């Protein structure tokens, strides 16, 4: 009931009541309830209770009020896997022994800022320490890189990167494979340090299965995916459609999507980098029109929702037969 009320509040006021009569399916529980995320980012800073300045974990409190505290993730096993928790503990020893200071989130000074962890279902681990380059000279940076390589020298099934913030973002590959492979629905997906990849793989089938049924009976459907990321949804569903076009703002994600399509020998997909607001009209108008032309559009936007121009384009094109909206916030623009 609460979900329906929230949806009605965001429904256009000029639409009659009858237009938003709908049913809501039962909530489907995830088959995995503990450690369900394959990526977590942990902040480095001070724990206000113990005074430990090298704490690594989640933020508690308010940045705006300047009363934040970093809490270790030991009790967050619903979100973090034990592998991630162990990585956090080891990283804490690394930064404690280093010559560089941890970042002060109130004064906004320091070097060690955060730790990003990624894991796969077959046990691969990728970590990316995040540092502020404003407080590092060129010599300091090389010293820090060498220190990290030495600290993680004995690890197996492990990739090490370094991300610089405090200006133009830079990512360096320091050790191990440059990417991990995750198998999903029979396909292999390449994951790099900057990849935008599904965080909860175990529930993805709840989303793709109904789409497979929909696409299997439509005649010559063309699949448009907005905010396509690394191409996960498009590649999984490519065998059910004539053509897939994915649009994504982040160029590195599009490069990963193209590599994933090539790795899986998928030839009926095209991934494009750019702002959907400007690309969408041209993409839709370039599709050959016929009596059999049917377009299914899938939109999976960030929390800010879709740009009004994209919404308008989708609504005005009659050849778009179905729109599937994936929402991480039901108050988004749609």
């Amino acid at each position: 009931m609460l979900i329906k009320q929230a949806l009605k509040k965001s429904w256009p006021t000029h639409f009659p009541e009858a237009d938003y009569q709908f049913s809501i399916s039962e909530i489907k529980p995830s088959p995995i309830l503990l450690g369900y995320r394959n990526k977590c980012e942990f902040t480095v800073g001070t724990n206000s209770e113990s005074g430990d300045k090298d704490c690594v974990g989640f933020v508690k409190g308010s940045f705006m009020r300047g009363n934040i505290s970093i809490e270790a993730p030991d009790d967050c096993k619903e979100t973090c896997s034990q592998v991630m928790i162990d990585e956090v503990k080891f990283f804490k020893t690394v930064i404690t022994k280093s010559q560089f200071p941890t970042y002060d989130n109130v004064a906004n000074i320091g070097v060690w800022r955060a730790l990003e962890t990624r894991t796969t279902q077959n046990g691969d681990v990728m970590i990316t320490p995040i540092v502020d380059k404003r407080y590092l000279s060129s010599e300091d940076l090389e010293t820090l890189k060498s220190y990290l390589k030495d600290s993680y020298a004995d690890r197996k099934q492990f990739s090490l990167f370094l991300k610089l913030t405090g200006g133009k973002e830079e990512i360096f590959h320091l050790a191990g494979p440059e990417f991990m492979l995750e198998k999903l629905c029979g396909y292999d997906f390449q994951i790099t340090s900057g990849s935008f990849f599904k965080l909860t793989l175990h529930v993805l089938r709840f989303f793709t299965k109904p789409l497979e049924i929909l696409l299997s009976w439509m005649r010559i459907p063309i699949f448009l995916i907005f905010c396509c990321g690394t191409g996960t949804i498009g590649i999984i569903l490519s065998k059910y459609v004539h053509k897939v076009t994915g649009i994504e703002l982040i160029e590195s994600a599009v490069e990963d999507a193209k590599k994933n399509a090539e790795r899986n020998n998928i030839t009926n997909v095209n991934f494009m980098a750019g702002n959907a607001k400007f690309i969408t009209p041209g993409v839709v108008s370039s599709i050959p029109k016929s009596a059999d032309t049917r377009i299914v559009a899938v939109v999976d936007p960030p929390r800010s929702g879709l740009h009004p121009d994209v919404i308008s384009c989708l609504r005005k094109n009659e050849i778009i037969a179905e729109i599937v909206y994936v929402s991480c916030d039901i108050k988004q623009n749609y």
Side-chain angles (χ1 to χ4, degrees), residues 27-34 36 200-203 206:
I27 296 174
K28 299 182 183 293
S30 168
I32 303 295
L33 299 179
L34 296 177
Y36 63 88
T200 52
L201 302 183
H202 309 290
V203 299
F206 295 153

Side-chain angles (χ1 to χ4, degrees), residues 76-90:
C76 299
K77 295 183 179 179
E78 292 85 358
T79 303
C80 311
S81 66
Q82 187 59 50
V83 172
M84 292 181 177
I85 293 174
D86 291 342
E87 289 298 340
V88 166
K89 291 178 179 178
F90 184 76

Side-chain angles (χ1 to χ4, degrees), residues 1-17 19-20 22 24 303-306 308 311 315 325 327-334:
M1 187 62 185
L2 292 176
I3 296 176
K4 184 175 287 190
Q5 289 175 352
L7 287 170
K8 284 186 176 182
K9 287 181 180 179
S10 58
W11 197 268
T13 55
H14 61 277
F15 277 28
E17 175 79 13
D19 282 356
Y20 52 70
F22 50 84
I24 297 177
R303 294 189 183 277
S304 58
L306 283 178
I311 297 173
R315 286 178 172 172
Y325 195 96
S327 176
C328 59
D329 183 349
I330 59 175
K331 297 179 182 179
Q332 292 175 355
N333 292 329
Y334 66 88

Side-chain angles (χ1 to χ4, degrees), residues 116-135:
E116 180 186 283
T117 62
R118 289 178 179 266
T119 59
T120 65
Q121 298 176 89
N122 65 354
D124 293 327
V125 177
M126 178 182 291
I127 72 160
T128 305
I130 301 173
V131 301
D132 195 315
K133 64 182 179 181
R134 292 176 298 174
Y135 305 102

Side-chain angles (χ1 to χ4, degrees), residues 100-101 103-104 107-113 131-138 140-141 144 165-166:
F100 303 104
Y103 194 80
D104 186 323
N108 293 320
I109 57 173
V111 175
W112 301 107
R113 297 203 62 163
V131 301
D132 195 315
K133 64 182 179 181
R134 292 176 298 174
Y135 305 102
L136 292 171
S137 64
S138 298
D140 287 338
L141 178 57
L144 188 146
T165 60

Side-chain angles (χ1 to χ4, degrees), residues 134-196:
R134 292 176 298 174
Y135 305 102
L136 292 171
S137 64
S138 298
E139 183 178 343
D140 287 338
L141 178 57
E142 294 307 312
T143 299
L144 188 146
K145 288 180 182 178
S146 297
Y147 175 67
L148 285 173
K149 290 179 184 179
D150 292 341
S151 299
Y152 289 94
D154 298 329
R155 302 294 293 275
K156 296 180 180 179
Q157 278 189 280
F158 182 84
S159 296
L160 175 64
F161 288 79
L162 175 66
K163 181 186 292 187
L164 305 186
T165 60
K168 183 179 179 181
E169 187 174 285
E170 300 176 77
I171 297 180
F172 298 94
H173 172 238
L174 301 183
E178 293 188 15
F179 59 85
M180 303 187 299
L181 286 180
E182 182 68 275
K183 186 169 285 294
L184 188 59
C185 300
Y187 297 95
D188 291 323
F189 291 92
Q190 173 178 312
I191 305 172
T192 60
S193 178
S195 293
F196 180 79

